[in-house]
Amino acid sequence: MSTPDAIRARLRACTAGHSGWKEFEDACTEALTYLFVPPLANPITQPRSYSGIDRRDAIFPNRNHDGPGNWWHLYKELGARMILFEFKNYDTQGVGKDEVNQTSNYLSSPMGKLAVLCSNKQPEHQAHIKRNTIYSAEKKVILFITPTELIEMLAIKERGEDPSNLILDLVELFYVQHE
């Protein structure tokens, strides 16, 4: 596994758009693995549903069912058995309501109600509105992060602190802002 500095460099070097999608997805998955494995299990990348219709980008199994810790808390609160990460590396368009809908549709009951949409750009206003309506109807929480937050979590881990605190902070911020 790479060093935090090498991961930062990979995240910053990703080319926006279709030509850099694989590079972006791999860099983000490497960062998340460095940050969260353990306590989460190694990611399952590009898994397909049985029918083959759905293909998720990365799923990190959460086997922290007995506590303590943030992942146990998220398991208890949101049934977050499998943490879904979707990656969007756009150049001209932004992350909107369609990407939020797609992410929500990937959250099956056995997986739980927590997903993270990681994009190289901040999401559009409509993405925020859509995730609010999804939460109101289905109690699914969809977080938005960018490489900036991944880099911040690398620094958190380097200080000897728990980088999942930032995930919990984002969940709580979502609850505060939800309407």
Side-chain angles (χ1 to χ4, degrees):
M1 178 163 293
S2 299
T3 67
D5 286 337
I7 296 169
R8 278 186 201 88
R10 279 191 76 194
L11 288 167
R12 290 180 178 130
C14 292
T15 304
H18 183 71
S19 64
W21 76 267
K22 179 77 168 122
E23 173 189 9
F24 182 74
E25 193 168 297
D26 290 348
C28 290
T29 302
E30 181 179 18
L32 293 163
T33 301
Y34 176 82
L35 291 166
F36 301 135
V37 176
L40 299 180
N42 282 317
I44 305 161
T45 56
Q46 301 294 315
R48 291 191 176 274
S49 59
Y50 183 74
S51 67
I53 293 172
D54 293 330
R55 182 192 49 79
R56 298 160 178 111
D57 290 337
I59 297 172
F60 286 76
N62 180 8
R63 298 176 183 156
N64 297 285
H65 304 172
D66 297 325
N70 292 336
W71 296 111
W72 172 79
H73 175 81
L74 292 168
Y75 174 79
K76 296 280 287 176
E77 182 175 319
L78 297 168
R81 170 75 179 81
M82 309 290 272
I83 314 300
L84 170 66
F85 286 87
E86 284 295 306
F87 306 109
K88 303 298 178 193
N89 185 44
Y90 293 150
D91 53 0
T92 57
Q93 72 184 57
V95 171
K97 66 179 184 173
D98 291 340
E99 289 80 8
V100 174
N101 261 334
Q102 177 189 44
T103 301
S104 174
N105 290 338
Y106 288 165
L107 282 175
S108 62
S109 291
M111 290 180 65
K113 297 186 177 203
L114 175 64
V116 181
L117 207 157
C118 184
S119 172
N120 63 329
K121 295 180 172 188
Q122 290 294 330
E124 297 173 348
H125 178 71
Q126 291 302 316
H128 289 271
I129 300 298
K130 188 62 185 175
R131 79 172 181 166
N132 281 350
T133 60
I134 288 168
Y135 181 76
S136 294
E138 304 174 56
K139 299 300 181 221
K140 293 178 181 177
V141 173
I142 299 172
L143 303 177
F144 300 128
I145 64 171
T146 65
T148 301
E149 284 82 21
L150 291 174
I151 290 168
E152 182 179 343
M153 285 187 277
L154 290 169
I156 291 168
K157 184 165 183 160
E158 286 177 307
R159 291 193 304 266
E161 300 169 15
D162 185 350
S164 69
N165 286 336
L166 189 117
I167 299 294
L168 206 54
D169 290 346
L170 291 173
V171 170
E172 291 167 350
L173 180 62
F174 170 73
Y175 290 155
V176 168
Q177 293 177 339
H178 177 264
E179 54 186 8

